[in-house]
Amino acid sequence: MSYFAVCLTYFDAGVEVTGGRWKSTMSVFYMYSYGLGYFTLAGLAYFFRRWNHLHIVISLLSLLLFSFWWFLPESPRWLLTRNQLDGVMGVLEAAASINSKPLPSDVVVRIKKMEVLYFSGQRNKVEVEMLFKTPIMKHLTVITPFIFFFIFISYYGLTLRKVTLFSITDIMHVLMIKGGLEMIATSVALILTYCPGIMFLVVSTLVEGILCLASTLWPSRSPASMVLILASRFFASVTNTSIAMTVASFYPTSIRMTGLGWGYTCVGLALFVATNVVNLVSKYETY
């Protein structure tokens, strides 16, 4: 559960400090961490063969995340919803200094005239009930967990599926292959960043499902079946790269993290179901 909390926190923090057309690009760049994680895990597993040693090293590496406390600024949008104008100006002035661009002389007046999104100024405390405040928000909140569940159950199922393509069975080589697929899928998503979000998700998920079904037409361990599974896994990664930003864009700043967290409540369930399904299939699979 802490994994999802960490991922959501840093995803939201990175997106919130990015503005305009760069927001989608930033969210896709964040997903390169998945592919990098596969490569890093393969390298660590090569040097640390015992699982408990590997867990210790991974846990120690996670301490590096504390450095973001000093390097990542607070979201100006979030500060604005909290009516902290001084904090907003501090972040904007720091950004202007780094980019060597002066702030407009009337920036304070323009900020004060901005319409605060949805719930700002009404409450200082974010509550789950805010997800159900309007009919549209209520509809989104109801369907979001199902969207995350069905997307991630296929993603985790294909990720956990054993790959024996061209007699490659070593776990470190498999991790390298999956990391490469993640990198390529993220790059494709980056190129298609400006495609309509919902349609992009529907198409990539549909292609993923068709390829997965097509893989059943051949014996489970045949090269043709493995190629189709890897192709399906590729499109699952493309979908995974885009889903968080697509859903996050529907929520206002003040409750974006709450909305994403609500959607991710079913991701853990998807991982649990996918793990058991893959284990069941591996026991009764015909070779």
Side-chain angles (χ1 to χ4, degrees), residues 139-202:
H139 178 74
L140 178 64
T141 301
V142 170
I143 66 174
T144 296
F146 293 97
I147 294 174
F148 276 92
F149 176 79
F150 289 110
I151 285 178
F152 277 89
I153 193 173
S154 61
Y155 174 79
Y156 286 134
L158 292 168
T159 299
L160 295 170
R161 183 73 162 77
K162 292 182 180 179
V163 178
T164 57
L165 185 62
F166 306 129
S167 301
I168 299 175
T169 57
D170 182 75
I171 184 62
M172 284 176 285
H173 291 157
V174 171
L175 286 172
M176 296 290 284
I177 292 174
K178 292 181 176 180
L181 283 175
E182 287 286 349
M183 289 292 193
I184 298 172
T186 303
S187 299
V188 170
L190 183 63
I191 296 172
L192 301 176
T193 294
Y194 302 105
C195 292
I198 297 297
M199 184 57 65
F200 180 56
L201 282 174
V202 171

Coordinates of all heavy atoms in Angstrom, one line a residue, residues 139-202:
H139 N -20.5 11.0 -10.6 CA -20.4 10.0 -11.6 C -18.9 9.6 -11.8 O -18.6 8.4 -11.9 CB -21.0 10.6 -12.9 CG -20.9 9.7 -14.1 ND1 -21.7 8.6 -14.2 CD2 -20.1 9.7 -15.2 CE1 -21.4 8.0 -15.3 NE2 -20.4 8.6 -15.9
L140 N -18.0 10.5 -11.9 CA -16.6 10.2 -12.1 C -16.1 9.4 -10.9 O -15.3 8.4 -11.1 CB -15.8 11.5 -12.2 CG -14.3 11.4 -12.3 CD1 -13.9 10.7 -13.6 CD2 -13.6 12.8 -12.3
T141 N -16.4 9.8 -9.7 CA -15.9 9.1 -8.5 C -16.4 7.6 -8.5 O -15.7 6.7 -8.0 CB -16.4 9.8 -7.3 OG1 -15.9 11.2 -7.3 CG2 -15.9 9.2 -6.0
V142 N -17.6 7.4 -8.9 CA -18.2 6.0 -8.9 C -17.5 5.1 -9.9 O -17.2 4.0 -9.6 CB -19.7 6.1 -9.2 CG1 -20.3 4.7 -9.4 CG2 -20.4 6.7 -8.0
I143 N -17.2 5.6 -11.1 CA -16.6 4.7 -12.1 C -15.1 4.6 -12.1 O -14.6 3.7 -12.6 CB -17.1 5.2 -13.5 CG1 -16.5 6.6 -13.9 CG2 -18.6 5.2 -13.6 CD1 -16.7 7.0 -15.3
T144 N -14.4 5.6 -11.5 CA -13.0 5.6 -11.5 C -12.4 4.3 -10.9 O -11.4 3.8 -11.5 CB -12.4 6.8 -10.7 OG1 -12.8 8.0 -11.4 CG2 -10.9 6.8 -10.6
P145 N -12.8 3.8 -9.7 CA -12.2 2.6 -9.2 C -12.3 1.4 -10.2 O -11.4 0.6 -10.3 CB -13.0 2.4 -7.9 CG -13.5 3.7 -7.5 CD -13.8 4.4 -8.8
F146 N -13.4 1.3 -10.9 CA -13.6 0.2 -11.9 C -12.7 0.4 -13.0 O -12.1 -0.6 -13.5 CB -15.1 0.2 -12.4 CG -16.1 -0.2 -11.3 CD1 -16.8 0.8 -10.6 CD2 -16.3 -1.5 -11.0 CE1 -17.7 0.5 -9.6 CE2 -17.2 -1.8 -10.0 CZ -17.9 -0.8 -9.3
I147 N -12.5 1.6 -13.5 CA -11.5 1.9 -14.6 C -10.1 1.4 -14.2 O -9.4 0.7 -14.9 CB -11.5 3.3 -15.0 CG1 -12.9 3.7 -15.6 CG2 -10.4 3.6 -16.0 CD1 -13.0 5.2 -15.8
F148 N -9.7 1.8 -13.0 CA -8.3 1.4 -12.5 C -8.2 -0.1 -12.3 O -7.2 -0.7 -12.7 CB -8.0 2.2 -11.2 CG -7.5 3.6 -11.4 CD1 -8.3 4.7 -11.5 CD2 -6.1 3.8 -11.6 CE1 -7.8 5.9 -11.7 CE2 -5.6 5.0 -11.8 CZ -6.4 6.1 -11.8
F149 N -9.3 -0.7 -11.8 CA -9.2 -2.1 -11.5 C -9.0 -2.9 -12.8 O -8.1 -3.8 -12.9 CB -10.5 -2.6 -10.9 CG -10.6 -4.1 -10.6 CD1 -9.9 -4.6 -9.6 CD2 -11.3 -4.9 -11.5 CE1 -10.0 -6.0 -9.4 CE2 -11.4 -6.2 -11.3 CZ -10.7 -6.8 -10.2
F150 N -9.8 -2.6 -13.8 CA -9.8 -3.4 -15.1 C -8.5 -3.1 -15.9 O -8.0 -4.0 -16.6 CB -11.0 -3.2 -15.9 CG -12.3 -3.9 -15.3 CD1 -13.3 -3.1 -14.8 CD2 -12.4 -5.2 -15.2 CE1 -14.4 -3.7 -14.2 CE2 -13.5 -5.8 -14.7 CZ -14.5 -5.0 -14.1
I151 N -8.0 -1.9 -15.8 CA -6.8 -1.6 -16.6 C -5.6 -2.3 -15.9 O -4.7 -2.9 -16.5 CB -6.6 -0.1 -16.7 CG1 -7.6 0.5 -17.7 CG2 -5.2 0.3 -17.0 CD1 -7.5 2.0 -17.8
F152 N -5.6 -2.2 -14.6 CA -4.4 -2.7 -13.8 C -4.4 -4.2 -13.7 O -3.4 -4.8 -13.5 CB -4.2 -2.0 -12.5 CG -3.5 -0.7 -12.6 CD1 -4.2 0.5 -12.8 CD2 -2.2 -0.6 -12.5 CE1 -3.6 1.7 -12.9 CE2 -1.5 0.6 -12.6 CZ -2.2 1.7 -12.8
I153 N -5.6 -4.8 -13.7 CA -5.6 -6.3 -13.6 C -5.0 -6.9 -14.8 O -4.3 -7.9 -14.8 CB -7.0 -6.8 -13.4 CG1 -7.0 -8.3 -12.9 CG2 -7.9 -6.7 -14.6 CD1 -8.3 -8.9 -12.5
S154 N -5.2 -6.3 -16.0 CA -4.5 -6.8 -17.2 C -3.1 -6.4 -17.2 O -2.2 -7.2 -17.6 CB -5.2 -6.2 -18.5 OG -5.2 -4.8 -18.5
Y155 N -2.7 -5.2 -16.7 CA -1.3 -4.8 -16.7 C -0.5 -5.7 -15.8 O 0.5 -6.2 -16.2 CB -1.2 -3.4 -16.2 CG 0.2 -2.9 -16.0 CD1 0.9 -2.5 -17.1 CD2 0.8 -2.8 -14.8 CE1 2.3 -2.0 -17.0 CE2 2.1 -2.4 -14.6 CZ 2.8 -2.0 -15.7 OH 4.1 -1.6 -15.5
Y156 N -1.0 -6.0 -14.6 CA -0.3 -6.8 -13.7 C -0.3 -8.3 -14.1 O 0.7 -9.0 -14.0 CB -0.9 -6.7 -12.3 CG -0.6 -5.5 -11.5 CD1 -1.6 -4.7 -10.9 CD2 0.7 -5.0 -11.5 CE1 -1.3 -3.6 -10.2 CE2 1.0 -3.8 -10.8 CZ 0.0 -3.1 -10.2 OH 0.3 -1.9 -9.6
G157 N -1.4 -8.7 -14.7 CA -1.4 -10.1 -15.2 C -0.4 -10.4 -16.3 O 0.3 -11.4 -16.3
L158 N -0.3 -9.4 -17.2 CA 0.7 -9.6 -18.3 C 2.1 -9.4 -17.8 O 3.1 -9.9 -18.3 CB 0.4 -8.6 -19.4 CG -0.9 -8.9 -20.2 CD1 -1.3 -7.7 -21.1 CD2 -0.8 -10.1 -21.0
T159 N 2.3 -8.5 -16.8 CA 3.6 -8.3 -16.2 C 4.1 -9.5 -15.5 O 5.3 -9.9 -15.6 CB 3.6 -7.1 -15.2 OG1 3.2 -5.9 -15.9 CG2 4.9 -6.9 -14.6
L160 N 3.2 -10.2 -14.8 CA 3.6 -11.4 -14.0 C 3.7 -12.6 -14.8 O 4.2 -13.6 -14.4 CB 2.6 -11.6 -12.9 CG 2.5 -10.5 -11.8 CD1 1.3 -10.8 -10.9 CD2 3.8 -10.5 -11.0
R161 N 3.2 -12.6 -16.1 CA 3.2 -13.7 -17.0 C 4.7 -14.0 -17.3 O 5.5 -13.2 -17.6 CB 2.5 -13.4 -18.3 CG 2.4 -14.5 -19.3 CD 1.4 -15.6 -18.8 NE 0.9 -16.4 -19.9 CZ 1.6 -17.4 -20.4 NH1 2.8 -17.7 -19.9 NH2 1.1 -18.1 -21.4
K162 N 5.0 -15.3 -17.2 CA 6.4 -15.7 -17.5 C 6.7 -15.6 -19.0 O 5.8 -16.0 -19.8 CB 6.6 -17.2 -17.0 CG 6.6 -17.4 -15.5 CD 6.8 -18.8 -15.1 CE 6.8 -19.0 -13.6 NZ 7.0 -20.4 -13.2
V163 N 7.9 -15.2 -19.3 CA 8.3 -15.0 -20.7 C 9.3 -16.1 -21.0 O 10.4 -16.1 -20.3 CB 8.8 -13.6 -21.0 CG1 9.3 -13.5 -22.4 CG2 7.7 -12.6 -20.7
T164 N 9.1 -16.9 -22.0 CA 10.1 -17.9 -22.4 C 10.4 -17.8 -23.9 O 10.8 -18.7 -24.6 CB 9.5 -19.3 -22.2 OG1 8.3 -19.5 -22.9 CG2 9.3 -19.6 -20.7
L165 N 10.3 -16.5 -24.4 CA 10.6 -16.3 -25.8 C 12.1 -16.6 -26.1 O 13.0 -16.1 -25.4 CB 10.3 -14.8 -26.1 CG 10.4 -14.4 -27.6 CD1 9.4 -15.2 -28.5 CD2 10.2 -12.9 -27.7
F166 N 12.3 -17.4 -27.2 CA 13.6 -17.7 -27.6 C 14.4 -18.3 -26.5 O 15.6 -18.0 -26.3 CB 14.3 -16.5 -28.2 CG 13.6 -15.9 -29.3 CD1 13.3 -14.5 -29.3 CD2 13.1 -16.6 -30.4 CE1 12.6 -13.9 -30.3 CE2 12.3 -16.0 -31.4 CZ 12.1 -14.7 -31.4
S167 N 13.8 -19.1 -25.6 CA 14.5 -19.8 -24.5 C 15.0 -18.9 -23.5 O 15.9 -19.3 -22.7 CB 15.6 -20.8 -25.0 OG 15.1 -21.7 -25.9
I168 N 14.5 -17.7 -23.4 CA 14.9 -16.7 -22.3 C 14.1 -16.9 -21.1 O 12.9 -16.6 -21.1 CB 14.7 -15.3 -22.8 CG1 15.6 -15.0 -24.1 CG2 15.1 -14.3 -21.7 CD1 15.4 -13.7 -24.7
T169 N 14.6 -17.5 -20.1 CA 13.9 -17.8 -18.9 C 14.5 -17.2 -17.6 O 13.9 -17.1 -16.6 CB 13.8 -19.3 -18.6 OG1 15.1 -19.9 -18.6 CG2 13.0 -20.0 -19.8
D170 N 15.8 -16.7 -17.7 CA 16.5 -16.1 -16.6 C 15.7 -14.9 -16.2 O 15.4 -14.0 -17.0 CB 17.9 -15.8 -17.0 CG 18.7 -15.2 -15.8 OD1 19.0 -15.9 -14.9 OD2 18.8 -13.9 -15.8
I171 N 15.5 -14.7 -14.9 CA 14.6 -13.7 -14.3 C 15.2 -12.3 -14.6 O 14.5 -11.3 -14.9 CB 14.4 -13.8 -12.8 CG1 13.4 -12.8 -12.3 CG2 15.7 -13.8 -12.1 CD1 12.1 -12.8 -12.9
M172 N 16.5 -12.2 -14.6 CA 17.2 -10.9 -14.9 C 17.0 -10.5 -16.3 O 16.8 -9.3 -16.6 CB 18.6 -10.9 -14.4 CG 18.8 -10.8 -12.9 SD 20.5 -11.0 -12.4 CE 20.8 -12.8 -12.6
H173 N 17.1 -11.4 -17.2 CA 16.9 -11.1 -18.6 C 15.5 -10.8 -18.9 O 15.2 -9.9 -19.7 CB 17.3 -12.3 -19.5 CG 18.8 -12.6 -19.5 ND1 19.3 -13.8 -19.8 CD2 19.8 -11.8 -19.2 CE1 20.7 -13.7 -19.7 NE2 21.0 -12.5 -19.4
V174 N 14.6 -11.5 -18.2 CA 13.1 -11.1 -18.3 C 12.8 -9.7 -17.9 O 12.1 -9.0 -18.5 CB 12.3 -12.2 -17.5 CG1 10.8 -11.7 -17.5 CG2 12.4 -13.5 -18.2
L175 N 13.5 -9.3 -16.7 CA 13.3 -8.0 -16.2 C 13.8 -6.9 -17.2 O 13.2 -5.9 -17.4 CB 14.0 -7.8 -14.9 CG 13.3 -8.4 -13.7 CD1 14.3 -8.4 -12.5 CD2 12.0 -7.8 -13.4
M176 N 14.9 -7.2 -17.9 CA 15.5 -6.3 -18.9 C 14.5 -6.2 -20.1 O 14.3 -5.1 -20.6 CB 16.8 -6.8 -19.4 CG 17.9 -6.9 -18.3 SD 18.4 -5.3 -17.7 CE 19.5 -4.8 -19.1
I177 N 13.9 -7.3 -20.5 CA 13.0 -7.2 -21.6 C 11.8 -6.4 -21.2 O 11.3 -5.5 -22.0 CB 12.5 -8.7 -22.0 CG1 13.7 -9.4 -22.6 CG2 11.3 -8.6 -23.0 CD1 13.4 -10.9 -22.9
K178 N 11.2 -6.6 -20.0 CA 10.1 -5.9 -19.6 C 10.4 -4.4 -19.4 O 9.6 -3.5 -19.7 CB 9.5 -6.5 -18.3 CG 8.9 -7.9 -18.5 CD 8.3 -8.5 -17.2 CE 7.7 -9.8 -17.5 NZ 7.1 -10.4 -16.3
G179 N 11.6 -4.1 -18.9 CA 12.0 -2.7 -18.8 C 12.1 -2.0 -20.1 O 11.7 -0.9 -20.3
G180 N 12.6 -2.8 -21.1 CA 12.7 -2.2 -22.5 C 11.4 -1.9 -23.0 O 11.1 -0.9 -23.7
L181 N 10.4 -2.8 -22.8 CA 9.0 -2.6 -23.3 C 8.4 -1.4 -22.6 O 7.7 -0.6 -23.3 CB 8.2 -3.9 -23.0 CG 8.3 -5.1 -23.9 CD1 7.5 -6.2 -23.4 CD2 7.9 -4.7 -25.3
E182 N 8.7 -1.2 -21.3 CA 8.2 0.0 -20.6 C 8.7 1.2 -21.2 O 8.0 2.2 -21.4 CB 8.5 -0.1 -19.1 CG 7.7 -1.1 -18.3 CD 6.3 -0.7 -18.1 OE1 6.0 0.5 -18.3 OE2 5.5 -1.6 -17.6
M183 N 10.0 1.3 -21.5 CA 10.7 2.4 -22.1 C 10.1 2.8 -23.4 O 9.8 4.0 -23.7 CB 12.2 2.2 -22.2 CG 12.9 2.2 -20.8 SD 12.9 3.8 -20.1 CE 14.2 3.6 -18.8
I184 N 9.9 1.8 -24.3 CA 9.4 2.0 -25.6 C 8.0 2.5 -25.5 O 7.5 3.4 -26.2 CB 9.5 0.7 -26.5 CG1 11.0 0.3 -26.6 CG2 8.9 0.9 -27.8 CD1 11.2 -1.0 -27.3
A185 N 7.2 1.8 -24.7 CA 5.8 2.2 -24.5 C 5.6 3.6 -24.0 O 4.8 4.4 -24.5 CB 5.1 1.2 -23.5
T186 N 6.5 4.0 -23.1 CA 6.4 5.4 -22.6 C 6.8 6.4 -23.6 O 6.2 7.4 -23.7 CB 7.4 5.5 -21.3 OG1 7.0 4.6 -20.3 CG2 7.3 6.9 -20.8
S187 N 7.8 6.0 -24.5 CA 8.2 6.9 -25.6 C 7.1 7.1 -26.6 O 6.8 8.2 -27.1 CB 9.4 6.3 -26.3 OG 10.5 6.2 -25.4
V188 N 6.3 6.0 -26.9 CA 5.2 6.1 -27.8 C 4.1 7.0 -27.2 O 3.5 7.8 -27.8 CB 4.6 4.7 -28.0 CG1 3.3 4.8 -28.8 CG2 5.6 3.8 -28.9
A189 N 3.9 6.8 -25.9 CA 2.9 7.6 -25.2 C 3.3 9.1 -25.2 O 2.5 10.0 -25.3 CB 2.7 7.1 -23.8
L190 N 4.6 9.3 -25.1 CA 5.1 10.7 -25.1 C 4.9 11.3 -26.5 O 4.5 12.5 -26.6 CB 6.6 10.7 -24.8 CG 7.3 12.1 -24.7 CD1 6.7 12.9 -23.6 CD2 8.8 11.9 -24.5
I191 N 5.1 10.6 -27.5 CA 4.8 11.1 -28.9 C 3.4 11.4 -29.1 O 3.0 12.4 -29.8 CB 5.3 10.1 -29.9 CG1 6.8 9.9 -29.8 CG2 4.9 10.5 -31.4 CD1 7.4 8.7 -30.7
L192 N 2.5 10.6 -28.5 CA 1.1 10.7 -28.7 C 0.4 11.5 -27.5 O -0.8 11.4 -27.3 CB 0.4 9.4 -28.8 CG 0.9 8.5 -29.9 CD1 0.2 7.1 -29.8 CD2 0.6 9.1 -31.3
T193 N 1.3 12.3 -26.8 CA 0.8 13.0 -25.6 C -0.4 13.9 -25.9 O -1.3 14.0 -25.1 CB 1.9 13.9 -25.1 OG1 3.0 13.1 -24.6 CG2 1.4 14.8 -24.0
Y194 N -0.5 14.5 -27.1 CA -1.5 15.5 -27.4 C -2.7 14.8 -28.1 O -3.6 15.5 -28.6 CB -1.0 16.6 -28.3 CG 0.2 17.3 -27.6 CD1 1.5 17.1 -28.0 CD2 0.0 18.1 -26.5 CE1 2.6 17.7 -27.3 CE2 1.0 18.7 -25.8 CZ 2.3 18.5 -26.3 OH 3.4 19.1 -25.6
C195 N -2.8 13.5 -28.1 CA -4.0 12.8 -28.6 C -5.1 12.9 -27.6 O -4.8 13.0 -26.4 CB -3.7 11.3 -28.9 SG -2.6 11.1 -30.3
P196 N -6.4 12.9 -28.0 CA -7.5 12.9 -27.0 C -7.3 11.8 -26.0 O -7.2 10.6 -26.4 CB -8.7 12.7 -27.9 CG -8.3 13.2 -29.3 CD -6.8 12.9 -29.4
G197 N -7.3 12.2 -24.7 CA -7.0 11.2 -23.7 C -7.9 10.0 -23.6 O -7.4 8.9 -23.6
I198 N -9.2 10.2 -23.6 CA -10.2 9.1 -23.5 C -10.1 8.1 -24.7 O -10.0 6.9 -24.6 CB -11.6 9.6 -23.3 CG1 -11.7 10.4 -22.1 CG2 -12.6 8.4 -23.3 CD1 -11.5 9.6 -20.8
M199 N -10.1 8.7 -25.9 CA -10.0 7.9 -27.1 C -8.7 7.1 -27.2 O -8.6 5.9 -27.6 CB -10.2 8.8 -28.4 CG -10.2 8.0 -29.7 SD -11.5 6.7 -29.7 CE -12.9 7.8 -29.7
F200 N -7.6 7.8 -26.8 CA -6.3 7.1 -26.7 C -6.3 5.9 -25.8 O -5.8 4.8 -26.1 CB -5.2 8.1 -26.3 CG -3.8 7.6 -26.2 CD1 -3.3 7.0 -27.3 CD2 -3.1 7.7 -25.1 CE1 -2.0 6.5 -27.3 CE2 -1.8 7.2 -25.0 CZ -1.2 6.6 -26.1
L201 N -6.9 6.1 -24.6 CA -7.0 5.0 -23.7 C -7.9 3.8 -24.2 O -7.5 2.6 -24.1 CB -7.6 5.5 -22.4 CG -6.7 6.2 -21.4 CD1 -7.4 6.8 -20.2 CD2 -5.5 5.3 -20.9
V202 N -9.0 4.2 -24.8 CA -9.9 3.1 -25.4 C -9.2 2.3 -26.4 O -9.3 1.1 -26.5 CB -11.2 3.8 -25.9 CG1 -12.0 2.8 -26.7 CG2 -12.0 4.4 -24.8

